[in-house]
Amino acid sequence: MALLSDLINLDLSDSTPKIIAEYIWIGGSGMDLRSKARTLSGPVDDPKKLPKWNYDGSSTGQAPGEDSEVILYPQAIFKDPFRRGNNILVMCDAYTPAGEPIPTNKRCAAAKIFSNPEVEKEVPWYGIEQEYTLLKKDVNWPLGWPQGGFPGPQGPYYCGIGADKAFGRDIVDSHYKACLYAGINISGINGEVMPGQWEFQVGPSVGISAGDELWVARYILERITEIAGVVVSFDPKPIPGDWNGAGAHTNYSTKSMRDEGGYEVIKKAIEKMGLKHKEHIAAYGEGNERRLTGRHETADINTFLWGVANRGASIRVGRDTEKEGKGYFEDRRPASNMDPYVVTSMIAETTILWNKS
């Protein structure tokens, strides 16, 4: 008798050319990821060659029951680290049967910004630092924390090692390798300041691909924590009090910023970002006011300031960028639950397309 693990790990290529495609989309809350699988006749490497599909939008908070059909448009393909072989993960966005993007489809508007010739010419690069917290499933309390109590104060946990400092490394490392397998441009991981909190970085990625890659990296993380019986939280301040929150610092550069003389371009772009501070904050994630307090390596939510190597600023410029006169800047305001399609396209729109005059 075959074991369940044997069946899960069956190599389909031994018996059929067919593959499994897992279609992924964003649900009605804007943060809940959904997915379902279908069989295809053979390997596919171009999303344009994939069939559209549909789902019941009334069950995801995205359509009324009397007109519930929502259409999935495949947009990006990744290798499936769970089924492996030629099987794939497919990042989709969602439309009405008439072809209109539904309100929670933020990718469509972002793609229009990134396809603007002025934006394309600047080849915008993004590096997103996704922080998250691992929680015990039944008690909603961080992994490694005493039941109903608190660990020792922050200090030894950031990039820490040891059973009393690093909680959930097996999940984190599994996620790292699974993302590399999938073809996501994941560039690193580290333990964060609050125990039970971790970070992974995606990038540098160009334009719309930054959003696709981060969403699929989140999907893979949720699938791994599902297997491990642990809950992943993207709440920007999961534990009140003297504990660090969770953000999604977004590093950004354009071709003009990376070229000689780019530091002046960076300063002009930051000036524009400051003038649109309120608009950006409004789009940078729910509950961010609990995180952006002016403490725990943040600037106050109502204040815009930037500085070189200042982790208490809204926007930080690195020492290397200042020294070399070109490079990138880091927007430290986005919350961990931000929508990367919204944040990346908004930064491009403000810095490249918006004329402050």
Side-chain angles (χ1 to χ4, degrees):
M1 178 70 70
L3 297 174
L4 184 61
S5 59
D6 295 333
L7 296 172
I8 289 171
N9 293 315
L10 269 179
D11 183 357
L12 297 179
S13 62
D14 291 343
S15 57
T16 177
K18 294 178 180 178
I19 69 155
I20 302 170
E22 189 80 24
Y23 279 44
I24 303 165
W25 72 95
I26 301 159
S29 75
M31 265 306 288
D32 58 316
L33 284 161
R34 311 286 181 126
S35 74
K36 61 177 183 172
R38 67 183 299 164
T39 305
L40 301 176
S41 59
V44 181
D45 58 9
D46 181 353
K48 293 184 177 66
K49 296 178 181 177
L50 287 168
K52 294 174 185 175
W53 206 6
N54 64 73
Y55 67 92
D56 171 16
S58 69
S59 295
T60 62
Q62 293 170 297
E66 64 273 11
D67 187 14
S68 65
E69 192 168 284
V70 180
I71 312 301
L72 292 172
Y73 287 33
Q75 299 292 358
I77 291 175
F78 299 87
K79 292 171 66 180
D80 186 339
F82 303 102
R83 296 187 177 105
R84 288 168 283 186
N86 290 320
N87 303 301
I88 55 176
L89 304 176
V90 183
M91 190 64 208
C92 304
D93 59 354
Y95 295 79
T96 67
E100 295 295 320
I102 65 172
T104 51
N105 178 355
K106 306 303 182 186
R107 190 189 190 280
C108 183
K112 288 177 182 175
I113 290 169
F114 285 121
S115 63
N116 184 295
E118 291 300 308
V119 176
E120 286 186 328
K121 185 174 67 176
E122 284 290 350
V123 195
W125 289 2
Y126 298 91
I128 302 173
E129 305 169 27
Q130 175 68 71
E131 294 177 336
Y132 60 93
T133 308
L134 297 174
L135 304 176
K136 300 170 192 174
K137 182 165 68 78
D138 297 323
V139 294
N140 212 37
W141 200 239
L143 208 61
W145 288 38
Q147 187 73 33
F150 296 88
Q154 296 182 154
Y157 310 107
Y158 172 69
C159 298
I161 60 169
D164 58 344
K165 303 179 193 73
F167 311 113
R169 191 184 296 276
D170 52 347
I171 292 169
V172 175
D173 219 39
S174 298
H175 176 249
Y176 194 178
K177 291 178 180 177
C179 285
L180 286 171
Y181 178 92
I184 292 166
N185 194 21
I186 187 170
S187 48
I189 57 166
N190 60 268
E192 267 304 330
V193 177
M194 189 183 86
Q197 192 180 84
W198 295 83
E199 173 184 300
F200 66 89
Q201 303 93 34
V202 168
S205 302
V206 178
I208 197 72
S209 65
D212 290 337
E213 291 184 23
L214 190 73
W215 273 117
V216 175
R218 285 174 173 176
Y219 173 84
I220 291 171
L221 179 59
E222 292 228 43
R223 286 283 305 276
I224 290 170
T225 54
E226 173 191 320
I227 294 166
V230 171
V231 174
V232 59
S233 170
F234 295 105
D235 190 290
K237 187 72 173 179
I239 305 295
D242 196 17
W243 304 97
N244 272 37
H249 301 159
T250 301
N251 300 274
Y252 170 71
S253 71
T254 63
K255 185 177 183 301
S256 298
M257 294 175 189
R258 297 187 293 269
D259 288 345
E260 293 301 321
Y263 193 38
E264 291 304 312
V265 180
I266 288 170
K267 288 193 284 188
K268 288 176 183 174
I270 292 173
E271 182 186 359
K272 286 182 170 183
M273 296 280 279
L275 293 171
K276 287 208 151 191
H277 176 64
K278 287 184 179 179
E279 293 94 326
H280 280 256
I281 286 293
Y284 274 15
E286 294 293 324
N288 214 6
E289 71 284 350
R290 294 183 281 117
R291 167 180 163 260
L292 297 181
T293 61
R295 299 183 64 216
H296 305 113
E297 302 181 64
T298 70
D300 181 83
I301 195 167
N302 297 309
T303 304
F304 180 85
L305 61 98
W306 74 277
V308 176
N310 182 0
R311 294 184 185 275
S314 313
I315 290 181
R316 180 185 69 88
V317 173
R319 290 280 180 210
D320 286 348
T321 294
E322 181 189 43
K323 182 179 177 181
E324 294 174 15
K326 60 183 178 181
Y328 69 98
F329 67 77
E330 174 194 41
D331 191 343
R332 298 178 60 80
R333 297 170 295 173
S336 51
N337 59 5
M338 64 81 154
D339 187 327
Y341 294 135
V342 173
V343 170
T344 56
S345 61
M346 195 173 196
I347 293 172
E349 185 175 38
T350 296
T351 59
I352 301 171
L353 299 178
W354 183 55
N355 187 339
K356 65 182 181 181
S357 62

